[in-house]
Amino acid sequence: MPRVVPASFAAAARSIVADIAEKSSTASLRALAIHPLGNPVLQLLLELELRMQKATPEKNGCSILQRLLAEDGSNGEIECTEFLKQLLLDTVGSYLLETIVEHSAGKIFKLVYRRAIREQMIEALEVESASFVIMRVLQRLGRQDVQDAICLILPQLHMLAGHTKSSILLHLIRCSAKRELSLDPIAATIDTLYGIDGPGGFLQNMLKWEESSDGKRTAKYNATRTQGSLLAQEMLRRPGQLSKVIHDSLAKMPAEKIVRMAEDPAASHVLEKALAEPASTPVFRRLLIANFFGNTIRLASSIYGAHVLVFAWEGTRGLQHYRERLIEELCKGEREWRVSFHGRMIWKKWRLDLYKHRRHEWLVACKAADQSFAQANEHATGSERHVSAIELARRRHASGKHNLVFVHGLRGHPLDTWKKDEIVWPRDLLPDDVPNARILTFGYQADAVSFFNHVSHSSIFQHAQNLLQDLQLKRRTADEKKRPIIFIGHSLGGLVIKDALCKAYEYHMQNRQPRAAAILVSTTGVIFLGTPHRGSSQTAWAKVATRLAKYVLKDQDDRVIDALKRGSEVLERLQDSFAGILHNLTIYSFFEDLAVTGVGKIVDDDSATIGCANEVKRWLSANHMDMCKFDGRESKAYERDVRVAEYKDADQWSAARKAEVSVLETRRQQLGDHHPTTLLSVYSMARIELELASLESAKMFAEWAWSSSSKASGREDPFAMRAECLAAEVKLNLGKLSEAEELVNTLMVYQSEIMGLEHFDTMQTLRQQGLICMLLERDVEAQAHFQQRLDILVRVVSETHPLTSEAYVDVADNLIRIKTDLYTPYLVPDTTSQAVTMANAAYDRLKETVGARHQATLRAGDVVSQTMIKQGQYTEALVRLRRSSILSRNAFGAGHPFTQQSALAMATCYLHMQREEEARRLYLEVSANYTRVYGPNHPRTLLVELNLGQSYLNKYDFKDLGRFVAAGQHLQRGLQGLLPILGAGHSCIKAAQQAMEICKPMMDLQQTTARYGLPGFSR
């Protein structure tokens, strides 16, 4: 516990400082400031004075600082400024100025900075002692001043000495990060200053560590290397371009350079930071640690290399196979390094005693250490680190804690089947995209001759039984038993999955083996990669079997070919059994898009298809053997759909458009405009354009996908029906309500018969029906559609699923009967407490599950605001709507229609609060945006015209007759366009016609005065 300074000492110190300040002249103190012996004493006295003033400020009395900065006489200000400039550039005086900058009050600091430092900043940086003052100054500057200083300093950095340059960059990074400024300009400057050719040349230039081989190290050279190391470590702390520069440089270095770097006293700290920093990705850490293989004993025998190995324990988090390989190498050469002090440090950190004698406990300790690191990082950075929308989307997908089960094909391998260029993508890539998922690979040894033989111990049936048993062993706890399962099967491995699920279904129906039966209940989806589900005929299957044997199994034995040919009956049995259980599953079937040279496709598209309504079919640009392998996250086959899906889920539609355009162009060039895979991208583009309110583009893409898929596969094809539903949604947004209603009503008949009401595509069409009815004020029909969809979702998914919450919002919105674009002040229908409760509960669930900035949450928030308006809580609703408007602007932009919906609701509040001018301002803003996005004759634009006209009549003022003329003009424009669309019975039309009856006499009078040249009236 620190000792308390006695009051008597503080009083004595104050007395001494006051006496010196009173008895010393300005000239004598300034002379001391640049004297080698007087300066340290003056520093001490000044720091003591400033610290005591912070503790107990004194407004009266003379101080040392006042004496130093005194402006006596006519030239006092000029002399004070010259003195401060002299201090800045003086080797001795700069120490005193540094004390003033660090400890003085804000007012004094600003004075000193403005007079002496700002104009001389570049000149001061060239003087080593003055550069420390600049670093202190940067720490105290405000956000804009730091921004200005960066613009001033960066172009001049190339003229500075090595260690000064590194120190200034280090402080610029810290100050910019603290004030949330962009680090990209600094990153670009660093790349220019240190970037040189050659593998790892960037770090070599920054650290100067290669130059130490001659043994001649001056103090200044050591300072340069130390400051360069500190700069590199600081860059590693900053996610983005700064850390990427260091990562790229390390990744390009050959293994020998990495090892020599680990043995260097300054450069080794960079490796330690790169391994331990949470921002370092598993892919980067994998590349870096791979350089240690074969050099582990050499590193363990070095003082600095041993420290790097200690940090490699944290660097191998999530890379258990790399951790085990390093520890195996350490054990082999244990005698060479264990006896030293740093060797014992490695022994303790890596828990080698547990590894050698109690391997299971060591594995448990590894897992606990990884979890502890993750929790510590989350606690330390959770409040500081910005979480992007992409990361939020990944977290939402990961929150399900799925079990992903990979099953290889005949004569495959649990790891090698999925490996390409040493990358096993389920192990090396997938954990980053679904971090909370449990990834399992099922391995089995199968004899091709007996694979379809029911009585053989090596048959498909026995492998399916083993798969169920192994999964039961992995699902012991109550939490594990609840985790959803997704199966991924390649080639004939997909048949093992189908048979396992069929067996689980039998157990479920017979009330036997409940743990095995629970696997079927937990299964949510199956992904088939080139699985031959059936042969269109015995002859067709014989061809597939022959190709599988010769080119996949590499076996020319006639017994193998004949055995596979006999599997046709087994395929048909599995197909029939599986058809009874797949209606609740999501099925993805991937086909090989590339043929094997001289052979063609191993499994034809027809055979690789199940043919059920809930099956999604896609092509992979690979042959049968390579379609299950990806060589990295940069692989287009791996990245394209993952990246586009992440952008969509994060509501980053502009980024999604850019990514999808690239995918579409590639598919059009390789596959053609009407290929099913191309049409998937066309459909995705239509959805993206619709979300971005580019309605004409959305219409073009939707009709392209619909017409092409209908011609190729018929109107009853699931994808064609999905594209037709999207085309109807686009027509709805274009204001073509009758065309949209005709489409969705016809489509609903097909989907309900072919796919069933519980299919998600059918439920989407059901929602479109409800929206159309709600817009046309057929409230009973709309309520029936929305309620039917809600009941199905509650039954099929869950009460808390985001889709269910959105369905609750639809029901509440319809119950309230106040959609902003259909609102008129004269028609405020009754609401119910049920709608209020429903909207609030849905908003809370969506905020928790998908985040506050998600479009579904923002819409739910607007509906909640409408319930407040309904209850007369206008101020509370206005506060909520303003917050929603800000979030919408940040997420979608100021001109996006979704943002304008919040503005319309705010205008409604203003009208109720008798603030007509503010309401009209918002209506005019929304009208301009709707005209730009939808056009002047769109129903949304015309409805705003009605609202704008009604705003003039919110209160009658017969002294202001121009108000009625302006109202009539807006109402007339709206009625002319809306009457044919909504019909005369719509409440908006009725209210507008009633208002026109009030405005019509005034408009006639205006026309009469204009006809005879009389002075009229206007707003």
Side-chain angles (χ1 to χ4, degrees):
M1 183 174 180
R3 295 178 59 188
V4 178
V5 178
S8 58
F9 178 84
R14 283 182 182 279
S15 177
I16 294 172
V17 172
D19 288 344
I20 294 174
E22 186 178 352
K23 296 177 181 178
S24 301
S25 65
T26 299
S28 60
L29 289 175
R30 289 180 178 177
L32 283 175
I34 57 176
H35 192 277
L37 299 179
N39 182 281
V41 178
L42 193 56
Q43 279 187 67
L44 177 61
L45 291 171
L46 186 58
E47 183 175 349
L48 188 60
E49 175 187 274
L50 293 173
R51 286 183 179 274
M52 288 190 299
Q53 284 182 356
K54 286 181 181 179
T56 54
E58 290 185 2
K59 295 183 179 180
N60 301 320
C62 183
S63 68
I64 296 176
L65 187 60
Q66 289 177 352
R67 290 286 191 192
L68 282 170
L69 304 181
E71 300 178 359
D72 300 330
S74 58
N75 296 325
E77 182 177 343
I78 298 175
E79 292 176 357
C80 178
T81 301
E82 291 301 322
F83 166 68
L84 289 172
K85 290 181 178 180
Q86 181 186 7
L87 282 184
L88 177 62
L89 301 177
D90 188 83
T91 305
V92 176
S94 60
Y95 288 93
L96 183 66
L97 185 58
E98 189 176 348
T99 302
I100 295 173
V101 167
E102 182 178 4
H103 298 288
S104 61
K107 186 176 180 180
I108 300 298
F109 166 73
K110 291 177 182 177
L111 176 70
V112 173
Y113 174 68
R114 186 170 58 252
R115 286 188 179 180
I117 300 176
R118 184 169 57 186
E119 297 178 359
Q120 293 196 125
M121 189 172 291
I122 299 303
E123 185 180 355
L125 288 175
E126 298 177 5
V127 180
E128 183 176 351
S129 59
S131 65
F132 290 97
V133 179
I134 302 302
M135 295 175 201
R136 293 288 187 189
V137 167
L138 289 172
Q139 295 173 7
R140 295 201 60 180
L141 289 178
R143 192 175 191 273
Q144 187 57 48
D145 287 331
V146 170
Q147 182 72 63
D148 295 340
I150 290 174
C151 296
L152 188 64
I153 292 173
L154 290 182
Q156 308 299 328
L157 279 176
H158 65 279
M159 300 186 301
L160 305 183
H163 63 285
T164 303
K165 179 167 50 182
S166 301
S167 299
I168 292 295
L169 283 169
L170 176 65
H171 280 77
L172 287 177
I173 292 172
R174 289 176 177 173
C175 294
S176 298
K178 186 176 181 180
R179 291 158 181 81
E180 298 182 349
L181 294 171
S182 173
L183 298 173
D184 291 343
I186 302 177
T189 302
I190 291 176
D191 192 37
T192 303
L193 291 173
Y194 297 106
I196 60 175
D197 297 333
F202 178 90
L203 268 179
Q204 179 180 331
N205 194 16
M206 179 180 286
L207 302 176
K208 308 291 184 185
W209 62 276
E210 283 285 4
E211 299 175 14
S212 62
S213 57
D214 58 1
K216 298 178 181 180
R217 304 180 185 177
T218 64
K220 184 170 290 188
Y221 175 70
N222 284 332
T224 301
R225 300 184 64 235
T226 301
Q227 290 299 327
S229 176
L230 291 173
L231 175 59
Q233 294 174 57
E234 184 65 28
M235 291 171 67
L236 285 168
R237 291 186 62 236
R238 308 299 172 185
Q241 191 61 31
L242 284 173
S243 58
K244 184 179 183 298
V245 170
I246 304 295
H247 289 167
D248 291 346
S249 184
L250 286 171
K252 293 175 183 177
M253 279 191 182
E256 179 60 26
K257 277 194 174 184
I258 292 288
V259 173
R260 283 194 285 123
M261 187 175 175
E263 295 172 331
D264 185 83
S268 60
H269 290 287
V270 178
L271 289 178
E272 294 169 7
K273 193 71 174 178
L275 290 168
E277 188 59 41
S280 298
T281 64
V283 175
F284 164 71
R285 287 186 280 113
R286 189 183 299 111
L287 292 173
L288 182 58
I289 294 170
N291 295 294
F292 300 159
F293 296 151
N295 298 295
T296 310
I297 305 304
R298 173 180 168 182
L299 293 175
S301 303
S302 165
I303 297 176
Y304 304 106
H307 282 83
V308 172
L309 282 181
V310 168
F311 279 88
W313 168 263
E314 293 179 351
T316 52
R317 60 189 181 276
L319 305 174
Q320 187 63 25
H321 52 297
Y322 275 46
R323 182 176 284 170
E324 292 181 9
R325 182 169 174 180
L326 284 177
I327 204 170
E328 283 291 342
E329 291 189 9
L330 286 171
C331 289
K332 290 179 182 178
E334 177 186 337
R335 292 185 179 181
E336 300 181 35
W337 57 268
R338 186 182 174 184
V339 294
S340 62
F341 172 78
H342 48 272
R344 291 193 295 272
M345 179 174 61
I346 296 174
W347 182 276
K348 181 178 179 180
K349 185 67 176 181
W350 283 76
R351 297 170 171 83
L352 277 157
D353 51 343
L354 283 180
Y355 180 81
K356 297 185 69 174
H357 304 293
R358 298 189 296 278
R359 184 72 59 87
H360 176 71
E361 293 183 21
W362 182 81
L363 292 172
V364 172
C366 290
K367 186 175 181 180
D370 290 350
Q371 291 176 348
S372 176
F373 180 88
Q375 292 171 0
N377 175 50
E378 188 70 24
H379 177 74
T381 63
S383 60
E384 300 175 5
R385 185 166 58 90
H386 172 70
V387 181
S388 66
I390 289 293
E391 189 171 349
L392 284 174
R394 283 179 170 171
R395 288 181 180 181
R396 289 198 299 273
H397 285 305
S399 62
K401 297 183 178 178
H402 280 68
N403 283 334
L404 304 182
V405 183
F406 288 79
V407 182
H408 62 76
L410 195 59
R411 292 188 184 173
H413 187 272
L415 295 180
D416 292 346
T417 293
W418 320 98
K419 182 170 72 174
K420 185 176 183 180
D421 296 337
E422 302 302 321
I423 298 294
V424 182
W425 68 273
R427 180 191 68 192
D428 301 333
L429 304 180
L430 202 56
D432 292 339
D433 295 316
V434 278
N436 286 347
R438 188 182 193 185
I439 300 172
L440 307 169
T441 59
F442 176 70
Y444 59 95
Q445 293 183 351
D447 180 10
V449 174
S450 59
F451 189 71
F452 290 111
N453 187 350
H454 194 286
V455 298
S456 172
H457 293 291
S458 184
S459 70
I460 180 178
F461 315 102
Q462 187 60 48
H463 298 320
Q465 187 66 43
N466 293 339
L467 174 58
L468 288 178
Q469 292 175 355
D470 287 359
L471 273 178
Q472 292 175 53
L473 294 175
K474 295 293 184 181
R475 295 163 60 86
R476 295 178 178 272
T477 67
D479 178 63
E480 289 173 338
K481 292 176 182 177
K482 294 178 181 177
R483 289 185 177 181
I485 302 173
I486 297 176
F487 287 99
I488 301 96
H490 175 239
S491 193
L492 298 179
L495 303 181
V496 177
I497 295 172
K498 290 170 67 174
D499 197 45
L501 292 176
C502 290
K503 286 182 179 293
Y505 178 71
E506 292 177 10
Y507 293 142
H508 177 69
M509 298 302 294
Q510 299 169 5
N511 292 324
R512 295 191 300 122
Q513 298 193 27
R515 290 178 60 192
I519 290 175
L520 174 64
V521 178
S522 299
T523 301
T524 59
V526 185
I527 299 173
F528 295 107
L529 302 173
T531 296
H533 296 288
R534 54 196 166 91
S536 57
S537 65
Q538 187 77 18
T539 304
W541 168 245
K543 293 180 180 179
V544 173
T546 303
R547 291 194 292 262
L548 284 171
K550 289 185 177 181
Y551 298 100
V552 179
L553 305 183
K554 307 293 185 183
D555 201 327
Q556 302 288 340
D557 193 334
D558 291 338
R559 292 185 309 128
V560 174
I561 298 174
D562 292 340
L564 290 179
K565 288 180 179 179
R566 289 194 298 271
S568 178
E569 296 179 2
V570 177
L571 288 180
E572 293 303 322
R573 181 191 67 78
L574 278 179
Q575 184 73 353
D576 293 340
S577 301
F578 193 62
I581 63 174
L582 54 73
H583 60 280
N584 288 326
L585 302 176
T586 300
I587 306 295
Y588 275 79
S589 293
F590 286 89
F591 313 150
E592 53 202 84
D593 197 46
L594 302 182
V596 177
T597 305
V599 180
K601 293 184 179 181
I602 300 297
V603 178
D604 296 330
D605 294 351
D606 290 338
S607 182
T609 253
I610 294 178
C612 59
N614 55 326
E615 179 184 27
V616 178
K617 309 168 190 176
R618 293 193 177 181
W619 277 258
L620 283 176
S621 298
N623 60 34
H624 185 80
M625 287 76 78
D626 293 335
M627 67 187 307
C628 57
K629 306 174 190 290
F630 306 108
D631 56 4
R633 184 162 279 99
E634 295 77 15
S635 169
K636 290 183 179 179
Y638 183 86
E639 179 187 26
R640 59 191 178 191
D641 289 333
V642 172
R643 184 62 58 192
V644 173
E646 284 182 339
Y647 283 135
K648 289 180 181 178
D649 194 64
D651 279 338
Q652 293 185 348
W653 295 102
S654 296
R657 172 198 274 168
K658 184 177 179 181
E660 191 63 75
V661 164
S662 175
V663 174
L664 177 59
E665 289 302 319
T666 302
R667 288 175 173 174
R668 291 182 69 185
Q669 293 174 5
Q670 295 179 351
L671 307 174
D673 289 351
H674 305 293
H675 193 278
T677 305
T678 306
L679 295 180
L680 286 171
S681 289
V682 173
Y683 177 88
S684 179
M685 280 298 303
R687 172 59 61 186
I688 293 169
E689 295 294 340
L690 181 59
E691 294 294 339
L692 290 171
S694 300
L695 298 181
E696 291 302 324
S697 296
K699 177 184 176 183
M700 184 268 291
F701 283 116
E703 291 182 350
W704 177 359
W706 177 27
S707 61
S708 296
S709 57
S710 298
K711 290 177 182 178
S713 307
R715 186 174 183 177
E716 298 180 359
D717 178 71
F719 178 77
M721 289 189 287
R722 186 183 305 166
E724 185 177 359
C725 181
L726 182 59
E729 187 176 353
V730 173
K731 288 182 181 294
L732 176 61
N733 280 271
L734 284 168
K736 301 177 181 179
L737 301 185
S738 58
E739 295 181 28
E741 185 175 22
E742 183 181 352
L743 269 182
V744 297
N745 288 342
T746 307
L747 180 61
M748 191 66 195
V749 175
Y750 282 95
Q751 287 182 322
S752 57
E753 291 180 358
I754 298 171
M755 307 168 71
L757 287 174
E758 294 185 354
H759 195 278
F760 286 103
D761 288 351
T762 310
M763 286 189 278
Q764 178 64 18
T765 305
L766 197 59
R767 181 174 186 266
Q768 296 303 319
Q769 285 184 312
L771 290 174
I772 293 170
C773 291
M774 186 167 65
L775 288 171
L776 295 173
E777 288 196 338
R778 300 194 325 240
D779 304 313
V780 176
E781 292 182 56
Q783 188 65 20
H785 293 311
F786 288 142
Q787 190 64 50
Q788 184 180 10
R789 177 172 179 260
L790 174 60
D791 294 340
I792 295 172
L793 283 169
V794 170
R795 184 172 67 252
V796 173
V797 286
S798 69
E799 184 82 17
T800 58
H801 194 279
L803 282 176
T804 310
S805 299
E806 291 182 52
Y808 273 115
V809 174
D810 289 333
V811 173
D813 197 6
N814 187 63
L815 285 174
I816 296 167
R817 304 277 188 88
I818 302 179
K819 284 189 68 67
T820 308
D821 52 3
L822 299 182
Y823 173 74
T824 62
Y826 301 108
L827 292 175
V828 184
D830 294 332
T831 186
T832 64
S833 58
Q834 179 187 4
V836 176
T837 304
M838 197 178 291
N840 279 282
Y843 173 75
D844 292 338
R845 283 196 300 268
L846 285 168
K847 187 176 180 181
E848 180 180 352
T849 53
V850 299
R853 291 177 171 82
H854 197 277
Q855 183 169 334
T857 311
L858 294 173
R859 178 173 177 262
D862 283 351
V863 174
V864 171
S865 301
Q866 297 284 13
T867 65
M868 292 180 173
I869 296 173
K870 184 75 177 201
Q871 295 172 324
Q873 301 172 359
Y874 305 126
T875 304
E876 294 85 347
L878 194 58
V879 171
R880 179 183 281 271
L881 286 167
R882 282 173 177 165
R883 183 168 62 247
S884 176
S885 178
I886 292 172
L887 292 174
S888 299
R889 285 173 183 269
N890 293 337
F892 312 113
H896 194 277
F898 193 83
T899 307
Q900 300 305 310
Q901 289 289 334
S902 298
L904 283 171
M906 289 169 63
T908 300
C909 285
Y910 284 135
L911 281 180
H912 282 295
M913 299 167 72
Q914 303 300 314
R915 294 160 63 176
E916 292 84 1
E917 292 299 328
E918 294 173 86
R920 275 195 291 275
R921 177 182 57 80
L922 285 176
Y923 280 138
L924 289 170
E925 178 186 325
V926 174
S927 178
N929 277 294
Y930 276 1
T931 302
R932 176 179 56 81
V933 175
Y934 298 117
N937 298 318
H938 191 277
R940 288 182 182 270
T941 311
L942 297 172
L943 284 164
V944 177
E945 287 291 324
L946 295 187
N947 291 337
L948 192 54
Q950 295 283 11
S951 68
Y952 285 101
L953 303 177
N954 197 48
K955 61 180 180 181
Y956 292 148
D957 183 1
F958 290 100
K959 296 179 181 179
D960 185 4
L961 299 181
R963 172 191 294 268
F964 295 93
V965 175
Q969 291 171 348
H970 289 292
L971 290 169
Q972 191 171 30
R973 278 198 296 270
L975 280 171
Q976 288 175 352
L978 284 174
L979 190 58
I981 298 173
L982 301 180
H986 198 282
S987 61
C988 289
I989 301 299
K990 290 180 179 179
Q993 287 173 339
Q994 292 173 6
M996 275 298 296
E997 292 178 3
I998 300 172
C999 300
K1000 191 68 168 62
M1002 306 301 174
M1003 296 177 68
D1004 292 342
L1005 180 59
Q1006 173 77 354
Q1007 291 178 358
T1008 302
T1009 56
R1011 186 182 305 122
Y1012 293 103
L1014 299 175
F1017 44 82
S1018 61
R1019 288 289 295 161

